[in-house]
Amino acid sequence: MILRNDLVRACDTLLAAAAFKDYTVNGLQVAGREEVRRVMSGVTACQALLDEAVAWGADLLLVHHGYFWKNEPVPITGIKQQRIRTLLLNDINLLAYHLPLDAHAELGNNAELGRLLGFQVDGCADGELGQGLVWLGGLPQAATPAALARQVGERLGREPLLIEAPGGHAIRRVAWCTGGAQDMITQAWEAGADAFVSGEISERTTHLARELGIHYLAAGHHATERYGVQALGAWIAREFGVEHRFVDIDNPA
C-alpha cells in the first residue's frame, strides 16, 4: 500500500512533469481514496476503461490521455460528467501524464516504441533525450520501406499506412514520435531521417513526405501509445509493492 499523495509525488518527480508545457494537466486530475493498493493503467480514460476499473476494484487509474484539455468546453456536462461521476462515486483516483510520458528516456512511449521496434537510439531532434519528442536512431541493417512497414505491423499488431517517398530509397536512419505527431515530419527530415514513424496521418502529410523525400509510416495513435503507461504502471508496482493491471481498450485509430 502507498498513500496517494506519495505516489503522485514520486511519479511527478520521475517524469519531471512540471518541466513540460502541455495541452492538459499532468498529474492527479481527480482525487479518490487516500490509500492505493490496486493500480489499473490504460491509454485513455474512456468510460469502458473506467468501468473496468470499477469492476476490478482499482484505487487509482493511470492513463496517458486524461481530461481537461486546452480549448475544450469547461462545463462538466454530458460525457465528461458521466466519466468524472464514475470516478467520484467509486472513490477512484485519476492520474494522467501526456507529454512527460512521451518523452521519458526509460519508461516513455517513444523509448518503449523504439525498444519494441529494434531502433538504435542516438538522440532527439528537438531537445535532450528525456525532454525531446522526436527521437532519432538507426536500424540494425538497412531496410526497404515495405520491410520496415511489415516489421512495424507485426510488432504492433496493426498494419501501418505507408507513404513512400519518390525513388523508394533504403532506410538506415529513422525518426519517430508516438501519437498525433505527423506535423513533426519536417523536423525528422531536417535531422536526416530516411523515414518517420508516428501514429496519425493528415491529408497534408502525404504531400510533405513526397516533396521532402522522406518515407512516412502512420502506425496508429493508440497502437503506438500503449507501452509507456504499461512501463510506468510496472514501475509503480515494483517500487511500492502495489498490484498493477493494464487494460487495452481496442481503438483502431
Side-chain angles (χ1 to χ4, degrees):
M1 184 274 291
I2 182 172
L3 294 178
R4 174 199 62 223
N5 290 348
D6 292 340
L7 189 155
V8 171
R9 194 157 37 242
C11 290
D12 284 351
T13 300
L14 174 72
L15 299 177
F20 289 83
K21 184 178 180 181
D22 210 335
Y23 316 100
T24 185
V25 178
N26 287 299
L28 185 66
Q29 292 192 341
V30 179
R33 61 183 65 99
E34 291 187 4
E35 294 184 353
V36 176
R37 293 179 172 81
R38 281 188 161 187
V39 174
M40 178 174 286
S41 65
V43 177
T44 299
C46 61
Q47 189 64 47
L49 184 63
L50 299 178
D51 293 342
E52 289 282 350
V54 172
W56 188 56
D59 303 303
L60 183 142
L61 185 60
L62 171 68
V63 297
H64 182 49
H65 301 137
Y67 307 146
F68 312 114
W69 296 92
K70 183 179 179 180
N71 296 327
E72 77 172 15
V74 174
I76 300 176
T77 59
I79 289 174
K80 184 191 289 189
Q81 185 228 17
Q82 177 59 38
R83 291 174 173 180
I84 293 176
R85 185 171 183 267
T86 300
L87 291 165
L88 293 176
L89 285 177
N90 293 280
D91 213 14
I92 299 173
N93 298 281
L94 178 64
L95 186 59
Y97 294 100
H98 186 233
L99 295 185
L101 190 56
D102 288 325
H104 194 269
E106 293 297 327
L107 304 177
N109 283 319
N110 285 323
E112 291 294 321
L113 183 65
R115 191 174 294 119
L116 183 65
L117 297 180
F119 298 157
Q120 299 167 340
V121 179
D122 59 28
C124 292
D126 59 341
E128 297 295 323
L129 198 63
Q131 299 174 352
L133 297 173
V134 180
W135 283 42
L136 300 167
L139 300 181
Q141 59 184 34
T144 65
L148 180 59
R150 281 196 301 273
Q151 177 180 323
V152 170
E154 290 169 0
R155 300 286 173 85
L156 299 186
R158 179 194 186 279
E159 183 179 354
L161 175 62
L162 169 64
I163 305 298
E164 281 199 52
H169 57 271
I171 300 168
R172 294 176 176 82
R173 187 164 173 76
V174 63
W176 66 100
C177 182
T178 65
Q182 61 268 41
D183 287 337
M184 292 179 172
I185 189 171
T186 300
Q187 289 173 276
W189 171 75
E190 289 173 345
D194 301 306
F196 182 44
V197 180
S198 189
E200 298 184 14
I201 187 168
S202 299
E203 190 273 345
R204 59 188 172 274
T205 315
T206 297
H207 303 297
L208 286 170
R210 289 170 178 169
E211 292 172 32
L212 291 171
I214 182 172
H215 308 299
Y216 183 70
L217 288 86
H221 194 136
H222 178 85
T224 58
E225 295 197 324
R226 287 179 297 201
Y227 306 102
V229 74
Q230 293 184 63
L232 180 57
W235 178 85
I236 291 171
R238 290 194 304 271
E239 288 292 310
F240 304 113
V242 299
E243 191 174 355
H244 169 244
R245 176 188 172 201
F246 172 75
V247 174
D248 190 16
I249 304 297
D250 180 63
N251 187 338

